[in-house]
Amino acid sequence: MMAANRGCPFELDRKILQEVEEKKKGYDQRKFLRSKMGAEFVDEYRNMLIQRVPSVMGIADQLRSKKMIPAEIHGNIQTEKTSQDQMRILYSVLDSGGRAAKEEFYEILKTMMPSLVSELEAGPRTSNEVKTKSEEHLENKIKYDLRWALNHLDEADLKKFKNNLCDCWLEPRLHHNVKRLRNNMDLADLLINTFTARNAVQVTMEILRMIGHKRIAERLKWAIELSLFSFFVEENREKLIQRVSSVMEIADQLKRRDMITDEMYSSIQTAKTPEEQMKILYSALDSGGRAVKVEFYKILQRMEPLLLHELAEHSDIFSSYISTLTQSDTKDVIKKLKHHKYIHTTSDCELIPERKHKPSCHPHEYQPTLSLMDEEIFNPETVEKSQGDKITSSYRFLCHHAGHFQCKVTGLVFVMEGEGEVLYKIEPWDTQQLDGLGKMTRAGPLYNIECCKGPISHLHLPHCEIIDDTEENKVKQAVAHFTDDNVEIITPLQVTSTHVIIRIQGLSLLGIISDLRDLLFKPHLINAQVLLFYKTLAVTQSVNILYIHLLPGNIPTDEVIKKRKSIKYIETTSKCQLIPGRKYKPSCHPHEYQPTVETFDIDLHLTSLNFHATFEVFLDCETKNARIGLLDEYGREVWEPRRVFLTADTSAEATSPKVAAAVKFVDEHRPAIIQRISSVKEIADDLLSKKIISEEMNNKIRGEKTSQDQMRILYDGLNSGGAAVKAEFYEILKVKLQSLVDELEAGSSKTQ
């Protein structure tokens, strides 16, 4: 009997242990799901929590004690008057803090407001709020945008997408749902039902980037933004009808873009009040669809930025989507500036477009720098073609989807209607091209544009005029279109503060021209730039040269650098305002310069494209930095002095593989060269004739009795002159002592 029951306690122990393990496993899984769902809960019930959480400071205090919100944001929350505004600030921190911050917020909510959490969790996972028609339309549009992105994946990439979704984002119990999907619309439904529409966009973009489809991710983002702008216009219909007053100005811009009919425009014009005008305008927006609503939103961005900001701040749906889409923008900026250290801090602020701003950084010095534009910016590919002995280079832009695209080099903006390829380059103006056009003058580069594939609907050409709305100072701008021996003058659709916009009917040669007849006797300021180049003159005369170029603001800097590639370009803030035809001079005390004054001549640069320097400043070799500015002929400051740091030449030519190979040869074979070259004086004469060594250095070489000592002194000059001087010495050796160079390069020489 005892023997029969002897194994039972052990069997019971095993069962107990198994139950404990299963419970522990179940607990761990529930804990994982709770944390996963906690972050989703915080995202999904954003609107309800913003409205219904009263004790925001108590939550903020706990998050602050856990170092999850910075002191500055904690102070900002404290200063807000309503709990709703406090919660909106808190949500901005939760969004930037990621899943960990949201999970912690969820746990605090469960402790402080368990009944609210239970109430929300007991309801349907979609939302307790009744969705408006515009919200439903937005969610529907997002679903179709997601399907579009997924349809652009081939079978192999779609499999990668689903695997990544299961491995990194979905709970294990949902994996079988992915396998059951019939098509991409079902997959889009799964994403939205699992993560909510807003988070589904973020998840999809993140996975697309992870599997190597950044371009599809960016296009998805662009499509969602358009849907959001349309949603915003619809959601704020009543408020915009009540508060927008400059309706005719908006209607003018829409009419210029052929987005409202003449009949609709006349109806708006005859309406008595702005409210009536806006109601008629909204009927045009409704019939025009998303494209017209998006254009209306963009016009409001320029004309009513404060109103738009205020409405966006009180639209939780719109602001939550925008914050989701812009989270990736910070990552993109960090990638583009990868050679600079990113300092993480609280970055949210309120700025008004087109307004001027400046840093507060006392007692440190600062200089202004350029800001990015709204268009999608691209780096063009350089294409070289051989034409006989001459090599010409063009830029190429490969476009993968419709949109506005700005060339980072030239500033041109192409409005593309779909996929396409554009080839373009800058050519010199012919001095006779504008004959017979009266007082029309060249006002920018001449672009040779060829669209090999796909349609360009509009072109934005960068101008350098300072836009003045007063009629007496307004500069009339147009675009000259040259085909064969004909010239067509194109009237712009719009002139912005930076670009002249035209509708494209034909390509070839296009350039901006200005009619200055009304300004003949008035000073006419334009946006200009001051570019600096630095040349080390090796060991000659103990001076180096800083070249100052005065150029119109719409001349691409890269084009100038290509022409001056043999010397170092010094990057600094270059913007200024100058008057064509006026005389200017450098501010560079105590350094000498030449000429004493020079005229700012636009035509000279546009017709030759040689970009010769306007001034030369002579600097001692020991000078490490200098303050360089620009004065008019009467001594008035027009370009505030900048501190310019002077370093050794690191231009493309100086660091090219050819130059590097020459430097390596001269350094590596120093002992053999010193011992084996006897015609040192002859080589020194060549270097002197090219002003690479000074008379003083040449005399020292001639004063030495042996060729070895002469070469040692010459090597002192080569070392102080840098890469360019050693490269020139190497070229002379190849001409005068080819057999020695070949022998040393073949590795057969031995130091004697």
Side-chain angles (χ1 to χ4, degrees):
M1 194 79 173
M2 289 289 290
N5 292 329
R6 190 173 295 169
C8 289
F10 298 104
E11 185 67 31
L12 186 62
D13 288 345
R14 273 199 300 273
K15 286 182 179 178
I16 292 171
L17 285 171
Q18 194 173 1
E19 285 178 13
V20 169
E21 284 299 319
E22 285 178 2
K23 285 182 179 178
K24 184 175 183 298
K25 187 177 180 182
Y27 170 77
D28 290 340
Q29 189 173 18
R30 285 195 300 275
K31 185 179 177 183
F32 166 76
L33 292 177
R34 275 202 306 273
S35 68
K36 187 102 176 167
M37 293 176 66
E40 290 177 10
F41 174 91
V42 173
D43 286 333
E44 187 167 344
Y45 294 104
R46 172 187 290 256
N47 297 336
M48 297 291 284
L49 293 172
I50 285 173
Q51 295 300 322
R52 298 184 61 181
V53 173
S55 51
V56 186
M57 282 314 301
I59 297 170
D61 289 340
Q62 291 194 48
L63 290 171
R64 174 79 183 116
S65 68
K66 296 175 187 294
K67 297 183 178 179
M68 287 193 164
I69 61 173
E72 182 185 352
I73 295 295
H74 185 272
N76 291 344
I77 295 171
Q78 203 165 19
T79 56
E80 290 297 332
K81 294 179 181 178
T82 67
S83 62
Q84 288 83 4
D85 288 337
Q86 289 177 332
M87 278 296 294
R88 288 187 184 101
I89 294 175
L90 184 57
Y91 255 102
S92 69
V93 182
L94 297 178
D95 288 336
S96 62
R99 181 172 293 278
K102 289 176 182 176
E103 288 167 5
E104 189 59 43
F105 173 62
Y106 174 71
E107 294 300 325
I108 294 170
L109 272 183
K110 284 202 304 180
T111 305
M112 293 181 64
M113 304 188 69
S115 57
L116 175 60
V117 174
S118 300
E119 177 193 335
L120 295 177
E121 287 186 328
R125 283 295 290 172
T126 50
S127 177
N128 282 345
E129 297 174 288
V130 177
K131 292 180 181 176
T132 64
K133 285 184 179 179
S134 57
E135 285 176 63
E136 289 177 353
H137 179 72
L138 175 63
E139 189 168 305
N140 224 19
K141 186 67 187 71
I142 287 170
K143 187 189 298 183
Y144 279 92
D145 288 335
L146 291 174
R147 185 184 69 168
W148 170 89
L150 296 168
N151 283 345
H152 274 68
L153 300 177
D154 60 27
E155 191 175 341
D157 284 331
L158 189 60
K159 186 177 180 181
K160 286 182 190 175
F161 183 96
K162 290 177 180 178
N163 289 340
N164 199 293
L165 178 65
C166 292
D167 294 344
C168 302
W169 299 92
L170 287 182
E171 303 162 23
R173 65 183 176 85
L174 297 176
H175 289 185
H176 68 281
N177 291 346
V178 177
K179 296 175 183 176
R180 291 180 186 174
L181 298 173
R182 293 169 299 172
N183 52 45
N184 286 336
M185 184 57 91
D186 286 349
L187 180 52
D189 272 328
L190 174 73
L191 288 164
I192 289 174
N193 292 334
T194 306
F195 301 107
T196 73
R198 179 175 69 88
N199 291 331
V201 173
Q202 189 177 11
V203 168
T204 304
M205 287 171 58
E206 191 64 34
I207 296 175
L208 286 170
R209 290 189 182 102
M210 289 175 74
I211 64 174
H213 284 285
K214 293 181 181 178
R215 194 170 291 280
I216 296 177
E218 286 308 305
R219 192 172 173 191
L220 173 62
K221 176 186 168 186
W222 175 75
I224 298 293
E225 282 178 345
L226 295 186
S227 298
L228 277 175
F229 297 157
S230 177
F231 166 78
F232 180 91
V233 170
E234 184 55 44
E235 185 189 37
N236 292 284
R237 175 186 292 256
E238 295 304 322
K239 292 174 184 174
L240 290 171
I241 286 173
Q242 293 296 321
R243 298 184 62 180
V244 174
S245 56
S246 51
V247 188
M248 282 313 303
E249 194 173 341
I250 295 170
D252 287 337
Q253 294 192 45
L254 289 172
K255 187 173 182 296
R256 279 202 296 267
R257 291 166 174 76
D258 296 328
M259 288 186 162
I260 58 173
T261 63
D262 292 339
E263 183 184 355
M264 188 67 73
Y265 181 82
S266 299
S267 299
I268 295 169
Q269 206 166 23
T270 54
K272 294 180 180 179
T273 65
E275 287 84 0
E276 290 177 6
Q277 290 178 327
M278 278 297 294
K279 286 174 183 174
I280 297 169
L281 181 59
Y282 254 99
S283 66
L285 299 180
D286 291 336
S287 60
R290 188 176 76 164
V292 182
K293 287 179 182 176
V294 168
E295 190 58 43
F296 172 64
Y297 177 87
K298 290 181 177 179
I299 293 169
L300 285 179
Q301 272 187 317
R302 295 190 294 270
M303 292 179 56
E304 300 277 1
L306 292 175
L307 173 60
L308 232 62
H309 178 78
E310 179 191 333
L311 295 177
E313 201 172 38
H314 290 88
S315 173
D316 293 319
I317 295 170
F318 180 80
S319 57
S320 67
Y321 272 99
I322 288 294
S323 67
T324 298
L325 293 173
T326 53
Q327 279 175 15
S328 59
D329 289 347
T330 305
K331 296 176 184 176
D332 292 341
V333 173
I334 293 169
K335 283 180 184 176
K336 287 177 183 176
L337 299 175
K338 60 185 177 182
H339 299 301
H340 298 71
K341 178 178 171 59
Y342 170 60
I343 300 175
H344 185 79
T345 185
T346 50
S347 56
D348 289 346
C349 65
E350 297 178 4
L351 299 177
I352 301 173
E354 302 296 327
R355 287 278 181 90
K356 292 183 178 180
H357 302 87
K358 60 182 180 180
S360 171
C361 56
H362 181 77
H364 309 291
E365 292 183 15
Y366 67 89
Q367 296 178 171
T369 186
L370 296 174
S371 60
L372 297 175
M373 296 184 69
D374 292 334
E375 290 83 4
E376 188 175 330
I377 296 175
F378 69 90
N379 264 317
E381 178 187 349
T382 301
V383 179
E384 292 188 343
K385 290 183 180 178
S386 297
Q387 295 179 340
D389 296 334
K390 191 177 179 182
I391 296 177
T392 61
S393 64
S394 303
Y395 300 111
R396 179 164 65 181
F397 168 49
L398 292 174
C399 176
H400 296 276
H401 60 84
H404 292 57
F405 303 91
Q406 184 180 27
C407 173
K408 191 173 182 180
V409 174
T410 63
L412 285 168
V413 178
F414 302 103
V415 181
M416 305 294 292
E417 294 182 345
E419 291 186 25
E421 179 182 356
V422 186
L423 283 172
Y424 55 104
K425 62 182 177 181
I426 293 176
E427 295 198 351
W429 285 80
D430 190 313
T431 54
Q432 299 178 339
Q433 275 174 318
L434 298 182
D435 287 355
L437 294 179
K439 293 293 181 182
M440 301 299 279
T441 62
R442 304 166 189 85
L446 184 64
Y447 301 98
N448 190 342
I449 303 174
E450 177 186 352
C451 191
C452 305
K453 175 188 172 188
I456 303 176
S457 65
H458 296 78
L459 183 67
H460 301 207
L461 293 92
H463 68 71
C464 55
E465 297 296 338
I466 298 166
I467 300 300
D468 188 336
D469 292 331
T470 56
E471 202 59 41
E472 65 270 15
N473 290 327
K474 190 172 285 185
V475 176
K476 296 173 184 174
Q477 296 189 87
V479 174
H481 179 211
F482 300 97
T483 53
D484 299 325
D485 295 328
N486 299 319
V487 57
E488 173 195 8
I489 305 301
I490 302 173
T491 303
L493 295 173
Q494 184 185 0
V495 178
T496 70
S497 59
T498 57
H499 287 76
V500 173
I501 303 173
I502 61 170
R503 189 187 303 281
I504 289 296
Q505 295 174 336
L507 292 170
S508 189
L509 294 172
L510 294 152
I512 298 176
I513 54 176
S514 295
D515 185 351
L516 302 179
R517 281 175 293 186
D518 297 333
L519 300 173
L520 286 179
F521 303 105
K522 297 178 184 178
H524 167 226
L525 276 169
I526 67 165
N527 287 313
Q529 55 185 330
V530 180
L531 302 183
L532 305 177
F533 290 83
Y534 181 60
K535 183 175 184 179
T536 55
L537 294 182
V539 289
T540 61
Q541 304 167 9
S542 302
V543 295
N544 296 323
I545 299 178
L546 182 73
Y547 296 99
I548 301 177
H549 295 248
L550 305 187
L551 298 164
N554 55 358
I555 295 279
T557 304
D558 282 34
E559 290 288 316
V560 185
I561 293 172
K562 277 196 286 187
K563 289 287 184 181
R564 309 288 286 166
K565 62 183 179 180
S566 61
I567 54 179
K568 177 181 171 58
Y569 168 59
I570 297 180
E571 190 171 356
T572 186
T573 47
S574 58
K575 287 178 14 177
C576 65
Q577 295 180 349
L578 303 177
I579 301 174
R582 285 281 179 92
K583 293 183 177 180
Y584 296 94
K585 58 185 178 181
S587 167
C588 56
H589 182 76
H591 308 290
E592 293 182 17
Y593 64 88
Q594 62 184 30
T596 52
V597 292
E598 189 56 87
T599 303
F600 178 43
D601 187 347
I602 293 181
D603 251 17
L604 176 67
H605 299 296
L606 297 178
T607 54
S608 71
L609 296 186
N610 287 321
F611 307 124
H612 294 300
T614 312
F615 300 103
E616 295 175 309
V617 179
F618 301 101
L619 306 162
D620 294 337
C621 288
E622 292 78 23
T623 303
K624 301 300 180 188
N625 65 77
R627 292 193 76 84
I628 305 296
L630 190 68
L631 309 172
D632 65 14
E633 59 185 319
Y634 305 109
R636 293 174 298 203
E637 191 176 88
V638 294
W639 188 59
E640 187 180 341
R642 268 74 166 158
R643 181 180 292 178
V644 176
F645 292 91
L646 309 169
T647 57
D649 184 14
T650 57
S651 63
E653 184 175 281
T655 56
S656 68
K658 184 178 177 182
V659 172
V663 171
K664 183 181 178 184
F665 176 90
V666 173
D667 290 341
E668 194 175 291
H669 298 290
R670 174 187 171 113
I673 289 172
I674 287 174
Q675 293 299 322
R676 299 184 60 181
I677 292 180
S678 57
S679 54
V680 185
K681 293 178 183 177
E682 189 180 342
I683 294 171
D685 287 340
D686 278 4
L687 292 170
L688 179 63
S689 68
K690 295 180 180 184
K691 297 185 178 179
I692 291 175
I693 64 170
S694 63
E695 282 282 1
E696 183 183 357
M697 175 69 70
N698 191 45
N699 291 335
K700 279 186 180 180
I701 291 169
R702 290 182 173 278
E704 294 297 330
K705 294 179 180 178
T706 66
S707 61
Q708 289 84 358
D709 288 337
Q710 290 171 347
M711 273 304 303
R712 289 188 183 99
I713 292 175
L714 182 55
Y715 254 101
D716 290 340
L718 298 179
N719 290 333
S720 62
V725 175
K726 288 181 180 178
E728 188 60 42
F729 174 65
Y730 174 75
E731 293 300 322
I732 292 172
L733 287 184
K734 285 205 297 183
V735 173
K736 295 186 177 296
L737 298 164
Q738 182 66 56
S739 58
L740 174 63
V741 172
D742 291 343
E743 180 187 336
L744 293 176
E745 285 184 332
S748 59
S749 65
K750 294 181 181 179
T751 305
Q752 296 178 5

